[in-house]
Amino acid sequence: MYEYDLLVVGSANADLVIEVERRPAAGETVLGGDLATHPGGKGANQAVAAARLGARTALLARVGDDAHGRLLLDSQRSAGVDTAGVLVGGAPTGVALITVDPSGDNSIVVSPGANGRLAPADVRAATGLLHRSRVVSAQLEVPLETVLEVVRNLAPGSRFVLNPSPPLPLPPEVLAACDPLIVNEHEAKAILGGTGVSGEPADWARLLLAKGPRSVVVTLGADGALVADGDEVTAVPSVRVAAVDTTGAGDAFTAALAVRLGGGASLPEAAAYAARVGAAAVTKRGAQESYPTAKEVEAL
Ligand code: ADP
């Protein structure tokens, strides 16, 4: 039997946030507010979201041998994630330097650091972990060749879920493994390139499916999501909530979907649950700090 409901292979970043009155121009210095440091990165976010929902979750990632790495390991462990697969060293922990202006607009510089050093050899060394996991999810904040190696080392019965963020052209071998490929509007357009971008989201879902994944989910923020499986495109309504901060909603959605699929739900059923989890996540500030427990999702 599987030891983990979900293995997340992906990034772990420290998000360093400073509020500013306005962004500095070249050569200029501006003073900002107090620095806030949050655990983030799409991989780390997904793992925390799954564990908070009660799933047996493991993370395969790389952090630096530094204070940010320890912060990330602590936040994973306190959410209940198994961190035996988190490798330490090789480069500083990935960092996102974020300035937020009074209108709420962000400017972000990302240093991938250790995330960029999560190598195909690290995946091969973790084959045992992959084979003990019912569902494996990945994103693209780690090298694409590492994600390709994940696809090549999946256990025969396990399921692969990919959120291609930030979007890159995907090799056919990766696309063929996705069940589903999960994209937001921006990622859908980037992956479709010129084709179909002017059409409706349901057209994007069909066009994406034609590229080879076994199924597709398009998330539409407050408008919910679309799922495409075989010939059918099904709309999944969102849950109406007072949105406070949408940071990390997509990561919570993906984690919840992956966990439910592993539990045997159909794609529309799993997406309906994931939409509740995504909605709960936007009612609180932050990413990982905003993720609900299973009880909180029920109460929504
Ligand atoms: P991303 O964070 O990747 O851009 P989305 O914004 O599409 O992803 O959000 C992912 C999911 O979270 C949506 O499909 C929806 O279910 C839920 N969600 C996001 N924003 C809201 C909102 N304002 N109200 C209710 N649900 C939301």
Side-chain angles (χ1 to χ4, degrees), residues 184 219-222 224-225 238-239 241 243 246 249-250 253 275 278-279 282:
N184 65 16
T219 65
L220 300 168
S238 70
V239 179
V241 289
T246 60
F253 180 100
V282 305

Side-chain angles (χ1 to χ4, degrees), residues 19-77:
E19 291 183 4
V20 291
E21 279 303 313
R22 60 182 182 80
R23 267 175 268 290
E28 193 188 10
T29 300
V30 300
L31 298 182
D34 288 345
L35 174 70
T37 304
H38 302 282
K42 291 188 153 286
N45 286 353
Q46 285 188 8
V48 165
R52 283 185 64 76
L53 292 171
R56 296 169 304 165
T57 308
L59 177 65
L60 174 56
R62 186 177 281 280
V63 297
D65 184 7
D66 50 29
H68 292 149
R70 288 186 280 282
L71 167 84
L72 284 153
L73 283 165
D74 283 350
S75 67
Q76 293 293 313
R77 286 176 187 144

